[in-house]
Amino acid sequence: MTTALPLFPLNSVLFPGLVLPLNIFEQRYRALMRDLLAIPEDTPRRFGVVAIRDGRETAQTSTGLPDSAPPPGADPTAGFGPDPMTSFYTVGCVADASTIRERAGAGAAPEDVLDETAGREETAETAESPEAGAAAEAAGGPGYEVLATGTARFRLLSVDASGPYLMGEIEELPEEEGDGAGALASGVLRAFRAYQKRLASARERTLAAGQELPDDPSVVSYLVAAATILDTPTKQRLLQAPDTATRLADELKIMRRETALIGKLPSLPAADLTREPTSPN
């Protein structure tokens, strides 16, 4: 069974059970938030998060545009090209917006919605920045502070760009446990603790050392995938694993490899550095 869902493309991967804070300032996503606010509070306000394979989260901004020029982010495909299906990974995660709060003004500092989200890299849509403030002002008004939670994986079948924001035809993917998921989860948790200790010595942030971790195999698999410092293609591979056991087995190999690597390096490499656009500044 397929359904239509608004799309929110990001340069990172959202996993089920993980919290996603967003600072909305582009016109297309402000329109999406207005439509979500029209849904009754006791009904899930769902949208689909997909990772960007090729493109940018935000529309390019330029100075000196004529007054008649559309505001940045007015085009739902801005940053992705005319065929978004080729720019996005086709397995994403449904997000349920529990909080949508309109900001007091385009230049106002956001309230403290969430300081840390395991595995969520900071992007233009998640933190206040000069670019965000300029884009909000150019878009003609304040944006929104949003707090959402990943709920379920989906496969993206098609994208409709005819409206103010992208809509996707999706089918939700079941989470199969697979063989030996329980034993693998225990091994992954031990390996993750060792990985945390190595990260602490490298002064990188991850989950608090004393934080109690869950024992449900699927929850473990998503939490570890989100909390590990990995590039987007690797996180995407974990998201779209056919079952929990396969994801955990892959994570066990990754944990052992990364822990050994961190122990031999004085600092961690910037995994996404070669994937980001360069700037002459």
Side-chain angles (χ1 to χ4, degrees):
M1 178 178 176
T2 66
T3 186
L5 203 65
L7 294 181
F8 200 115
L10 291 173
N11 282 326
S12 59
V13 178
L14 176 65
F15 294 93
L18 272 294
V19 176
L20 176 69
L22 294 168
N23 175 24
I24 305 299
F25 55 85
E26 288 194 328
Q27 180 170 313
R28 51 186 165 179
Y29 301 127
R30 287 165 51 219
L32 168 58
M33 293 305 135
R34 287 194 295 270
D35 287 349
L36 290 179
L37 280 171
I39 299 173
E41 289 188 13
D42 57 351
T43 303
R45 293 167 169 171
R46 307 195 321 156
F47 58 94
V49 174
V50 288
I52 301 170
R53 189 198 307 267
D54 182 19
R56 294 167 47 92
E57 287 184 354
T58 56
Q60 294 277 18
T61 58
S62 301
T63 57
L65 290 176
D67 293 339
S68 59
D75 179 0
T77 65
F80 316 131
D83 184 10
M85 276 297 292
T86 64
S87 300
F88 303 153
Y89 288 98
T90 55
V91 173
C93 183
V94 178
D96 181 12
S98 58
T99 301
I100 304 176
R101 183 168 58 224
E102 187 172 6
R103 294 175 53 127
E111 296 179 18
D112 186 17
V113 178
L114 190 72
D115 291 330
E116 291 187 38
T117 303
R120 171 69 178 130
E121 292 86 353
E122 189 174 84
T123 68
E125 286 287 358
T126 59
E128 179 64 8
S129 65
E131 181 185 10
E137 186 175 353
Y144 296 87
E145 294 172 355
V146 179
L147 200 61
T149 304
T151 61
R153 299 180 306 152
F154 66 82
R155 188 176 305 281
L156 181 63
L157 303 176
S158 65
V159 178
D160 178 7
S162 62
Y165 46 82
L166 297 177
M167 292 289 296
E169 181 185 8
I170 64 113
E171 61 176 358
E172 292 195 17
L173 298 175
E175 181 68 22
E176 305 290 345
E177 185 169 285
D179 295 334
L184 282 166
S186 298
V188 166
L189 285 176
R190 288 193 297 271
F192 183 65
R193 284 301 190 195
Y195 170 78
Q196 283 188 304
K197 290 178 181 178
R198 286 291 173 88
L199 277 181
S201 66
R203 297 189 178 181
E204 293 287 345
R205 293 193 308 174
T206 182
L207 296 181
Q211 186 169 343
E212 186 175 342
L213 295 175
D215 54 9
D216 179 87
S218 66
V219 176
V220 169
S221 74
Y222 287 130
L223 180 60
V224 169
T228 306
I229 300 174
L230 301 169
D231 61 12
T232 297
T234 303
K235 285 181 178 281
Q236 181 66 33
R237 186 181 79 220
L238 294 173
L239 177 69
Q240 60 192 43
D243 54 54
T244 302
T246 301
R247 185 179 305 111
L248 288 166
D250 198 358
E251 288 170 348
L252 190 56
K253 294 176 185 177
I254 290 171
M255 290 294 98
R256 290 169 175 169
R257 181 195 70 205
E258 294 295 306
T259 302
L261 183 63
I262 294 168
K264 294 179 191 241
L265 293 176
S267 62
L268 297 181
D272 289 325
L273 187 60
T274 59
R275 303 177 185 277
E276 298 297 325
T278 57
S279 170
N281 296 327

